[in-house]
């Protein structure tokens, strides 16, 4: 009898819950699809990346790979003249003037390039790298490979004589296949204050294989139906966030590499 009463009470409570007013029901928010690189681009990039021996990439984040061969530069020579010295003896008088020149080597540091705040920068970097990592791309860190080469070099040379530029070159030649240079280009035409340039170089040959300039989208025109006919209006793009910017940059870079590898394979 107790079991029957329990089941009857449970049925009543369930029925009452189903008749609650709509205001008390919890609405499930609609799922919003996260922006990302298209599956087609990911698939094509992954297949061509593997077909081209899975090359290793090293990224230079907002740091140009310039033509400076050494971190040391020569200062202008400094000349120093001594006072005249006259030596007298019983038979001769010798007049001497001496001038010496000295040179000094000094370190030349890279100039700091303009860039967004650290938080925005890291957000963009993370969003840019995720699609590549999803496609199993191998990235090689510049600082790590330089330390590995420097450690080997200290066995042959004094540590104080190591040159960062020379170590960098040796490390890139030994440990990576492509340099990807990502630069922020200041411009007043963009609300963000800059465009982004991506260039990819072959380390062995020095050849430029990809160049992508990512610019902020501007307002476009569209035709809107009104009571007075079609009217032309400006259609403004959605505000650009740094995670979306990173994804867009990744897709355009991947697409450019896909085209490069396709053309390369077609020639071969």
């Amino acid at each position: 009898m107790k079991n029957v009463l329990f089941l009857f009470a449970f049925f009543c409570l369930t029925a009452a819950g189903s008749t609650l007013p709509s205001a008390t029901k919890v609405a499930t928010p609609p799922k919003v699809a996260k922006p990302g690189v298209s599956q087609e681009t990911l698939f094509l990039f992954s297949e061509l990346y593997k077909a081209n021996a899975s090359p290793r990439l090293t990224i230079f984040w907002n740091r140009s790979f310039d033509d400076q061969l050494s971190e040391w530069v020569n200062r202008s020579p400094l000349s120093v003249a001594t006072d005249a010295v006259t030596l007298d003896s019983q038979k001769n008088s010798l007049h001497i003037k001496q001038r010496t020149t000295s040179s000094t080597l000094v370190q030349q540091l890279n100039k700091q390039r303009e860039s967004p705040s650290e938080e925005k920068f890291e957000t963009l970097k993370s969003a840019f790298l995720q699609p590549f990592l999803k496609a199993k791309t191998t990235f090689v860190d510049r600082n790590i490979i330089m330390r590995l080469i420097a450690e080997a070099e200290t066995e042959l040379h004094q540590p104080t004589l190591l040159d960062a530029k020379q170590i960098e070159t040796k490390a890139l030649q030994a440990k990576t296949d492509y340099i990807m240079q990502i630069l922020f280009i200041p411009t007043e035409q963009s609300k963000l204050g800059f465009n982004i340039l991506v260039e990819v170089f072959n380390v062995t040959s020095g050849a430029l294989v990809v160049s992508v300039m990512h610019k902020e989208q501007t307002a476009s025109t569209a035709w809107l139906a009104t009571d007075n006919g079609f009217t032309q209006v400006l259609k403004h793009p959605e505000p650009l966030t740094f995670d979306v910017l990173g994804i867009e940059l990744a897709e355009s870079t991947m697409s450019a590499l896909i085209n490069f590898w396709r053309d390369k394979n077609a020639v071969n």
Side-chain angles (χ1 to χ4, degrees), residues 26 41 43 46 52 74 100 103 108 114 122-123 138-140 147 149 160-162 168 208 250 256 267:
V26 179
T41 301
F43 175 76
S46 180
N52 285 271
N74 229 336
T100 60
S103 297
Q108 183 167 321
E114 184 177 344
E122 294 301 324
T123 299
T138 300
F139 286 104
V140 178
R147 286 176 181 272
I149 296 297
T160 54
L161 299 179
L162 293 180
E168 178 183 65
L208 173 66
V267 172

Side-chain angles (χ1 to χ4, degrees), residues 17 20 33 45 54 75 78 83-84 93 98 104 129 144 146 168 180-181 189 196 199 224 226-227 244 251-252:
L20 289 173
F45 177 86
S54 300
R75 272 186 180 161
L78 177 65
D83 293 333
S93 178
Q98 184 179 6
T104 307
L129 289 173
I144 292 177
M146 283 183 64
E168 178 183 65
M180 183 181 291
Q181 183 175 257
Q189 309 303 320
I196 302 179
E199 293 182 323
L224 183 67
T226 66
D227 294 338
V244 172
E251 178 138 28
S252 57

Side-chain angles (χ1 to χ4, degrees), residues 200-216:
V200 181
F201 300 89
N202 184 301
V203 171
T204 304
S205 65
L208 173 66
V209 300
V210 161
S211 181
V212 175
M213 176 69 82
H214 187 283
K215 297 182 179 180
E216 186 179 0

Side-chain angles (χ1 to χ4, degrees), residues 2-229:
K2 289 182 178 179
N3 291 337
V4 173
L5 291 174
F6 175 77
L7 290 173
F8 177 74
F10 177 77
F11 174 77
C12 292
L13 289 172
T14 304
S18 64
T19 58
L20 289 173
S22 58
T24 62
K25 293 181 179 179
V26 179
T28 304
K31 292 184 179 179
V32 179
K34 291 184 178 180
V37 173
S38 69
Q39 291 300 315
E40 180 184 6
T41 301
L42 277 175
F43 175 76
L44 289 173
F45 177 86
S46 180
E47 291 298 307
L48 285 168
Y49 177 77
K50 288 184 289 186
N52 285 271
S54 300
R56 301 160 297 177
L57 283 82
T58 297
I59 301 181
F60 279 60
W61 290 103
N62 207 32
R63 179 183 178 279
S64 58
F65 191 64
D66 55 34
D67 60 353
Q68 186 183 333
L69 301 180
S70 173
E71 65 176 344
W72 295 93
V73 294
N74 229 336
R75 272 186 180 161
S76 300
L78 177 65
S79 297
V80 179
T82 63
D83 293 333
V85 177
T86 302
L87 300 176
D88 292 317
S89 65
Q90 293 179 350
K91 296 182 178 180
N92 299 303
S93 178
L94 181 62
H95 189 72
I96 301 175
K97 283 186 178 181
Q98 184 179 6
R99 181 176 293 273
T100 60
T101 302
S102 63
S103 297
T104 307
L105 285 174
V106 294
Q107 281 184 308
Q108 183 167 321
L109 302 178
N110 291 320
K111 294 181 180 179
Q112 188 71 28
R113 292 182 58 86
E114 184 177 344
S115 65
S117 68
E118 184 176 3
E119 180 184 3
K120 294 175 180 178
F121 198 177
E122 294 301 324
T123 299
L124 183 143
K125 287 168 64 175
S126 177
F128 176 82
L129 289 173
Q130 285 309 311
F132 284 95
L133 295 176
K134 196 172 182 179
K136 309 298 182 185
T137 308
T138 300
F139 286 104
V140 178
D141 184 77
R142 168 186 170 272
N143 295 333
I144 292 177
I145 61 176
M146 283 183 64
R147 286 176 181 272
L148 293 174
I149 296 297
E151 180 66 23
E153 288 290 317
T154 53
E155 298 179 3
L156 303 174
H157 306 285
Q158 293 292 332
T160 54
L161 299 179
L162 293 180
D163 187 290
K165 292 284 185 177
Q166 295 173 9
I167 293 296
E168 178 183 65
T169 301
K170 290 182 179 181
L172 292 172
Q173 287 178 329
K175 303 290 185 180
T176 193
D177 301 298
Y178 289 99
I179 295 174
M180 183 181 291
Q181 183 175 257
I182 301 179
L183 300 177
F184 294 94
I185 311 298
T187 175
E188 296 180 358
Q189 309 303 320
S190 170
K191 292 180 181 178
L192 296 176
F194 56 83
N195 295 324
I196 302 179
L197 174 66
V198 180
E199 293 182 323
V200 181
F201 300 89
N202 184 301
V203 171
T204 304
S205 65
L208 173 66
V209 300
V210 161
S211 181
V212 175
M213 176 69 82
H214 187 283
K215 297 182 179 180
E216 186 179 0
Q217 293 182 357
T218 56
S220 58
T221 57
W223 291 94
L224 183 67
T226 66
D227 294 338
N228 298 323

